[in-house]
Amino acid sequence: MVASNEWETQYLTKDGWVTGGYKLDHGKKKEDIPPEGAVLRAYRKVTVGKLGAPSSMNVDESQSELTKDQDLINTLLNKFGQPQFGV
């Protein structure tokens, strides 16, 4: 069992980064629905072991391309940078 288990997704669109979905420890939850026109999905999951020690913290991040248009993805990343997660 873990003391904390939270996750969040962010989607890169022509308007910037948009939160897709998340699950927070205190029960707040939002279904992960990609916004229209999303070109990149970024995911972050943070878990902390039962004792809560900093050494028991694990952060997993990944990105998935939602289009084959690498030039568009690079242009939007240059404009908006990397996602800012809340978890």
Side-chain angles (χ1 to χ4, degrees), residues 42-60:
Y43 174 80
R44 178 180 169 118
K45 181 176 183 174
V46 178
T47 56
V48 178
K50 191 170 183 173
L51 297 177
S55 62
S56 70
M57 180 193 261
N58 186 36
V59 178
D60 291 315

Side-chain angles (χ1 to χ4, degrees), residues 10-11 13 18 22 25 51 67 78 81 85-86:
Q10 294 280 327
Y11 291 90
T13 70
V18 176
Y22 54 83
D25 286 336
L51 297 177
T67 180
N78 285 332
F85 291 102

